[in-house]
Amino acid sequence: MALDLFTVGDPIADTKAPMDVPIGERWSERRFRAKLVNRANRRKLTVIVVGTGLAGGSAAATLGEAGYKVKSFWYQDSPRRAHSVAAQGGINAAKNYRNDGDSVHRLFYDTVKGGDFRSRENNVHRLAEVSVNIIDQCVAQGVPFAREYGGLLDNRSFGGTQVSRTFYARGQTGQQLLYGAYQALERQMAAGTVEQFARTEMLDLIVVDGRARGIVARDLVTGEISTHFADAVVLATGGYSNVFYLSTNAKGSNATAIWRAHKRGALFANPCYTQIHPTCIPVHGEYQSKLTLMSESLRNDGRVWVPKERGDDRDPRQIPEDERDYYLERLYPSFGNLVPRDIASRQAKNVCDEGRGVGPNGLGVYLDFAEAMQRLGRPAIEAKYGNLFDMYAQITGEDPYEVPMRIYPAVHYTMGGLWVDYDLQSTIPGLFVIGEANFSDHGANRLGASALMQGLADGYFVLPNTINDYLASGPFEKVDAGHPAAVQALEEVRAQTDRLLSINGNRTTASFHRELGRLMFDLCGMERSEESLRKALDRIPEIRQEFWTNVRVPGEAGRFNQSLEHAGRVADFIELAELMCVDALHRNESCGGHFRAESQTPDGEALRDDENYAYVAAWEWTPEGVPPVLHKEALEFEYVHLAQRSYK
């Protein structure tokens, strides 16, 4: 495409992974070569950790246990309110408890393939290695994983695999894992190694002499804006799904921390890689504010189908078997209902586009448990999925034990994020990024039950080993609130706050967010094209211009003001949305969750272009009016050879 929307800069590469040893030895070799900090010196060093989900909570607890001084920031009233608490289905680990052929290498292979060959092999292999340690850590903390009759930990399957490697705690796995990390974090708070900053939101990164040295944050209760300093900063603030307005994320989930870091110099990688989850409760109203996930684990026993004929609005229980289309089982006999999320979502969209969707607006498919209850009995289904069935019944008023669930794809996760090297360090020295906030492990599509795995791997095992190498060159020059860089960052945050409050226009922040989200889902959602993306890129600057001239933000800066919080986040979403569309437009191929209508196989599957796009797209921030700069990190595949994905 014409380079009218971006320019191409120098290539970028990860130089931290030791490439002179086989991939199975690289993580242990990297730990051996990294510099260490002795325990007496650790208490002289301070680390800021922003976010207390699985990645941030486990990282803060582990760094505190190691002897560092940690400052932990979160915007909720309690660390337990982090959105990791909402994860349902499970966490992957290559334990091979079922003796069904699983291994570290198979988990590595499945993850690279599931990401449609757009992830970095070194990072993915390390994730698979570390996965086996996570389960032991969590069991030691008392996480109540489901167990088989004999007392051994139970497993189930998730999409994109043919083995059972997912450990779970009913449909509340994220909650139980987060409580484990939370109790470890609370222990360090009581010990005095972790200082807590509740109801505090990061609004900028302080960079001194090219290094991340602190943050600017706002107390959400008092409105006070202040600066905080450390020898290193860790961002564990999650993804940016709420750019679409309607998503399965909590309403407060936002991109402000990573976006402000991006504007300070951290490259943003693969922003167009967003995941649409196939099993969510369909939209039911114009003014709905969020969507609800129904765990992928339900596809172990639930069968997905639609009527064979268009417009068949009979009660699903009255539609005979021979008039039903179990389309995933028909199209993908090897994996059936457990194909990866991007594939299941696109096929749901396809059958609805054909006019065979179900429900009031035709945007839904059935997830049916009748056969499973006949085979296993209702008590077994209740034991596995009872809380999910109860949640569905409370939201929809329908009993899924009696009638099939109605589901439809919804935005759920973002594979893009700040670029990091093998040490999880961004392009700003001293700024580390973990969990969903970085891009490193999932390529163009995340497999189910791998988000919890990555978050805890990064927080408990990877970051505590790699951050030592950076901190070993400290302590660094003392920085305080009087430093020019800190003063400038603080003044810029206050200036934006004052500007938002002074516009006094006629539209609410929510109306802008809703318009942006609808535009992004329609034009940069499950399917994108050059036409749709250019249309979005024409409209987004107009939304930004109107936002900054016509938004109305009531209240004051120096007090509790949720309208002000939301306005700052939406301002960042608008800028991020533009970069997402530029990235999607420049990547003229289909891969994983990035599906370009112009690039598909004859049977409608994603068609990659490995010759031209086998790279990570890492974007450099430029001021408004100046095209962003693209830096490419070439992806090389030594152990999983490039091939067209097939789940048939």
Side-chain angles (χ1 to χ4, degrees):
M1 59 173 285
L3 301 184
D4 56 341
L5 294 173
F6 65 94
T7 59
V8 179
D10 295 333
I12 190 171
D14 168 39
T15 59
K16 299 293 179 59
M19 301 300 291
D20 55 335
V21 297
I23 196 168
E25 300 174 18
R26 288 174 188 165
W27 175 228
S28 59
E29 187 65 24
R30 175 57 188 145
R31 283 181 290 165
F32 175 72
R33 295 181 188 179
K35 299 173 186 175
L36 299 178
V37 181
N38 87 39
R39 195 168 187 92
N41 288 333
R42 291 176 198 166
R43 55 179 171 265
K44 303 174 186 177
L45 296 164
T46 302
V47 180
I48 285 174
V49 180
V50 185
T52 56
L54 289 180
S58 60
T62 307
L63 292 172
E65 183 76 39
Y68 292 108
K69 292 191 293 185
V70 179
K71 296 180 179 179
S72 178
F73 292 78
W74 63 89
Y75 69 78
Q76 300 95 343
D77 54 355
S78 166
R80 293 176 297 177
R81 295 289 298 275
H83 189 59
S84 298
V85 77
Q88 298 171 355
I91 178 171
N92 289 329
K95 287 286 199 180
N96 195 32
Y97 282 176
R98 289 291 185 89
N99 197 27
D100 55 1
D102 201 10
S103 64
V104 166
H105 187 79
R106 188 174 295 280
L107 175 53
F108 161 63
Y109 173 84
D110 286 347
T111 304
V112 173
K113 177 184 175 182
D116 214 352
F117 302 90
R118 289 295 178 262
S119 54
R120 191 191 284 157
E121 276 194 336
N122 292 327
N123 292 60
V124 177
H125 196 279
R126 176 177 64 191
L127 178 65
E129 289 178 63
V130 171
S131 71
V132 299
N133 300 325
I134 296 171
I135 303 304
D136 297 338
Q137 169 92 354
C138 295
V139 169
Q141 291 175 336
V143 172
F145 287 120
R147 294 180 180 267
E148 296 177 327
Y149 179 76
L152 300 176
L153 297 183
D154 196 11
N155 293 123
R156 56 190 178 197
S157 298
F158 261 60
T161 71
Q162 292 179 306
V163 298
S164 294
R165 64 163 68 103
T166 304
F167 295 78
Y168 65 98
R170 212 179 183 195
Q172 301 164 306
T173 313
Q175 180 193 67
Q176 298 305 318
L177 293 173
L178 184 62
Y179 287 0
Y182 169 72
Q183 69 184 19
L185 180 61
E186 285 289 295
R187 178 175 180 271
Q188 294 308 311
M189 290 178 182
T193 62
V194 176
E195 184 179 0
Q196 57 181 305
F197 295 85
R199 300 305 308 276
T200 306
E201 182 173 25
M202 172 181 163
L203 295 180
D204 208 345
L205 180 73
I206 298 172
V207 180
V208 178
D209 297 329
R211 297 177 184 268
R213 294 303 309 276
I215 65 173
V216 179
R218 180 174 181 268
D219 185 311
L220 299 182
V221 177
T222 67
E224 179 186 2
I225 300 173
S226 56
T227 51
H228 305 266
F229 303 96
D231 297 288
V233 176
V234 179
L235 299 186
T237 53
Y240 48 93
S241 291
N242 276 350
V243 72
F244 292 92
Y245 185 70
L246 286 178
S247 82
T248 64
N249 285 196
K251 283 298 292 178
S253 298
N254 65 84
T256 288
I258 58 172
W259 189 250
R260 305 287 172 91
H262 172 56
K263 295 174 78 168
R264 290 292 179 188
L267 298 188
F268 204 117
N270 301 331
C272 77
Y273 289 168
T274 55
Q275 181 166 89
I276 313 292
H277 197 294
T279 52
C280 302
I281 297 177
V283 176
H284 63 260
E286 181 70 19
Y287 290 97
Q288 189 170 347
S289 61
K290 77 174 301 293
L291 298 173
T292 303
L293 174 72
M294 287 285 103
S295 170
E296 182 170 319
S297 62
L298 294 170
R299 289 194 276 144
N300 274 275
D301 292 303
R303 301 178 70 191
V304 179
W305 65 276
V306 292
K308 288 184 176 179
E309 299 298 325
R310 297 181 182 181
D312 190 340
D313 59 359
R314 285 179 290 175
D315 185 312
R317 294 168 292 186
Q318 304 303 317
I319 300 178
E321 281 289 314
D322 61 356
E323 296 180 31
R324 301 179 178 187
D325 180 13
Y326 295 92
Y327 58 89
L328 292 178
E329 298 174 24
R330 171 173 56 83
L331 294 169
Y332 308 100
S334 294
F335 284 74
N337 294 296
L338 287 174
V339 292
R341 292 172 175 178
D342 60 312
I343 292 174
S345 293
R346 280 199 298 276
Q347 293 301 343
K349 179 181 183 298
N350 289 342
V351 296
C352 290
D353 289 348
E354 293 170 4
R356 297 193 288 143
V358 302
N361 56 8
L363 294 178
V365 300
Y366 289 127
L367 182 61
D368 197 334
F369 291 85
E371 185 272 337
M373 281 194 285
Q374 185 176 19
R375 171 170 45 89
L376 301 171
R378 176 165 173 162
I381 298 299
E382 289 178 341
K384 285 184 176 182
Y385 313 116
N387 68 302
L388 299 173
F389 277 47
D390 291 345
M391 183 166 62
Y392 180 88
Q394 290 171 12
I395 292 172
T396 66
E398 300 173 359
D399 183 355
Y401 293 105
E402 299 295 332
V403 296
M405 289 184 178
R406 286 182 294 109
I407 57 171
Y408 191 71
V411 177
H412 176 62
Y413 189 89
T414 51
M415 286 73 67
L418 294 186
W419 186 93
V420 292
D421 61 16
Y422 193 62
D423 285 359
L424 304 182
Q425 186 170 209
S426 74
T427 48
I428 300 176
L431 177 66
F432 293 79
V433 190
I434 60 177
E436 190 180 353
N438 74 32
F439 88 102
S440 67
D441 291 346
H442 306 297
N445 176 67
R446 178 176 67 77
L447 292 183
S450 288
L452 307 187
M453 175 175 62
Q454 184 206 353
L456 292 181
D458 287 357
Y460 281 134
F461 299 105
V462 180
L463 177 78
N465 282 287
T466 61
I467 200 171
N468 292 328
D469 189 63
Y470 175 79
L471 291 173
S473 56
F476 304 104
E477 176 189 358
K478 183 174 175 58
V479 177
D480 59 26
H483 192 284
V487 172
Q488 179 186 354
L490 184 64
E491 289 178 348
E492 290 178 4
V493 168
R494 285 175 173 165
Q496 174 161 315
T497 300
D498 292 341
R499 184 183 175 192
L500 286 168
L501 290 167
S502 67
I503 296 170
N504 201 28
N506 297 314
R507 288 187 61 180
T508 64
T509 302
S511 73
F512 282 104
H513 195 180
R514 189 179 296 112
E515 180 184 358
L516 177 71
R518 184 177 294 118
L519 176 142
M520 289 296 291
F521 192 79
D522 291 344
L523 304 182
C524 190
M526 272 190 282
E527 180 175 301
R528 301 98 181 255
S529 67
E530 180 173 354
E531 179 184 3
S532 73
L533 292 167
R534 287 195 177 276
K535 184 177 179 182
L537 287 167
D538 287 340
R539 178 59 185 147
I540 291 172
E542 296 173 352
I543 295 175
R544 181 173 60 241
Q545 173 65 22
E546 186 176 359
F547 176 86
W548 284 108
T549 57
N550 197 31
V551 71
R552 183 178 182 84
V553 183
E556 303 169 4
R559 58 179 295 181
F560 180 71
N561 189 339
Q562 290 185 305
S563 296
L564 179 60
E565 297 168 31
H566 191 202
R569 297 166 187 169
V570 171
D572 294 329
F573 281 142
I574 293 171
E575 294 177 347
L576 172 56
E578 187 169 20
L579 183 62
M580 291 170 64
C581 292
V582 170
D583 188 39
L585 182 57
H586 113 276
R587 188 172 285 278
N588 192 18
E589 65 160 354
S590 293
C591 54
H594 169 65
F595 189 80
R596 284 287 296 268
E598 305 93 337
S599 183
Q600 53 184 300
T601 64
D603 55 352
E605 302 291 349
L607 181 62
R608 296 196 321 271
D609 180 355
D610 296 329
E611 182 177 351
N612 294 305
Y613 295 101
Y615 60 77
V616 175
W619 295 92
E620 178 185 342
W621 166 261
T622 52
E624 185 177 343
V626 180
V629 181
L630 170 64
H631 301 270
K632 300 178 182 179
E633 179 198 344
L635 291 171
E636 298 180 2
F637 296 91
E638 299 177 80
Y639 295 88
V640 180
H641 299 297
L642 286 165
Q644 180 68 31
R645 277 194 316 172
S646 176
Y647 292 93
K648 294 185 180 292

